[in-house]
Every structure is written in C-alpha cells, then in structure tokens.
Amino acid sequence: MNNLEELDIITQIRGEVNSRHQMTGENLFLAWGYPTVLVLLLQFVAMQVWNENWCSWIWAGIPLIGIPLMIYFLNEDYERTRHRTLEQNVILLMWVFIGFACCVGGFAMGLANIYQLCLFPLIGLMCGMGCFMTGIILHFRPKTICGIIASALSVVPLFFQDDLWPWQLFITAIIVTIALIIPGHLFLRYVRKSYK
C-alpha cells in the first residue's frame, strides 16, 4: 500500500466518523414551528373576520403541512448520514409522540366541544416540554431555556375564554415561536458552525 492509498483510507474513515457525529433533525424545529405559527395566525385572522365555526378547524392544517416536511427532512438527514444515535432516536420518537398527542387531542377536544377550553394551552405546554427535553438531551442550553419560558407561558391562554378565545391563537403562536422557531434557528446556526 502506498502513501496515496493510505491517505485515501484515512480520509474515508474520517468522513464516516464526522457524518456519524453530525446531528440530524436540526431542521425539524423549523419544519413544525413555521407551519404552526402560520396556521395559528391564519386562524386568528379568520376568527376576527368571519367568526364562524369552520374557522375553528383551520388548525388541522398544522399536521397536513408539518408531517410531509418532517418526513422530507428525516429522509434527507438519513441519506446524508446513514446513521442515527440513540439520542437522536429518543428525540425523534418524543416529537412524534408530541405531534400525535396534539393532533389526536385536538380532534377529540373538537368532537367533545371543549376545543376552546384547553387545546392551545396543551399545544403550548407540549411544545415547551419537548423543547426543554430536547435541550437537556443535547446539552444545548438555549433550547432548555426556551422550553422553560414556553412551558411557563402555556398557562396564559387559559385566561382568554369566551369572547376573548381567538386571542388564545395569537398567544399560542408567540409560545410556539419561543419553543420552536427561536431555538430552531439557534440550533441550526450552532450545527452549521460546528461542522464547517
């Protein structure tokens, strides 16, 4: 084996090690954050303009946009790294559970006619807790702090009931921005800086 072949093998091994240690899923916070905020603000405006019952179901657009984006980014990450660590699998399964719980809970609360009472505080709390746990697992302090702030703010929508209910949508959009969009951008910048 000559020096050129040895260098080629070393470069291949180094590339494999780097790709295995590269974080995956760095876009998932943004893939869920932006559609959620967009749909909540759209529903808020629709409730202000029309104030009809059908406006209450606009939130169902969140999973219709978020799930395909999540699948796209997960497939892209897997194609890039061909490997997931235990931490990455735990985080992924936790967020799949949170998304599933929010969707099923939302439809169940809508059918039980308690949708306006507690769905959006639940969404804010679940996003805050998920952000907090992700920050703890990844040892990324900005996510942990944003998760604590979002979880604490998740009780605020409970104070907006009856005629003030549409404001729950606006407040929840702010909470989701704190829980998903801000830490998503911070983490994406951190990952890009770490693996240049």
Side-chain angles (χ1 to χ4, degrees), residues 26-40:
E26 61 266 12
N27 291 312
L28 291 182
F29 268 55
L30 301 177
W32 281 104
Y34 279 113
T36 301
V37 169
L38 176 73
V39 169
L40 289 174

Side-chain angles (χ1 to χ4, degrees), residues 102-178:
C102 287
C103 291
V104 170
F107 283 111
M109 288 177 195
L111 295 174
N113 207 18
I114 58 170
Y115 173 84
Q116 295 182 356
L117 179 64
C118 57
L119 176 63
F120 294 106
L122 173 69
I123 289 174
L125 181 64
M126 297 285 269
C127 288
M129 288 173 52
C131 181
F132 174 78
M133 292 302 298
T134 303
I136 293 290
I137 292 169
L138 295 178
H139 306 289
F140 189 67
R141 190 169 294 166
K143 279 191 181 189
T144 305
I145 293 168
C146 287
I148 291 169
I149 294 169
S151 295
L153 291 175
S154 68
V155 299
V156 174
L158 289 172
F159 296 103
F160 293 86
Q161 297 295 332
D162 300 324
D163 292 340
L164 295 175
W165 174 79
W167 286 95
Q168 281 191 10
L169 301 162
F170 186 78
I171 294 164
T172 305
I174 293 170
I175 293 168
V176 170
T177 299
I178 293 168

Side-chain angles (χ1 to χ4, degrees), residues 34-48:
Y34 279 113
T36 301
V37 169
L38 176 73
V39 169
L40 289 174
L41 292 177
L42 177 67
Q43 186 176 354
F44 172 73
V45 170
M47 291 297 291
Q48 297 297 321

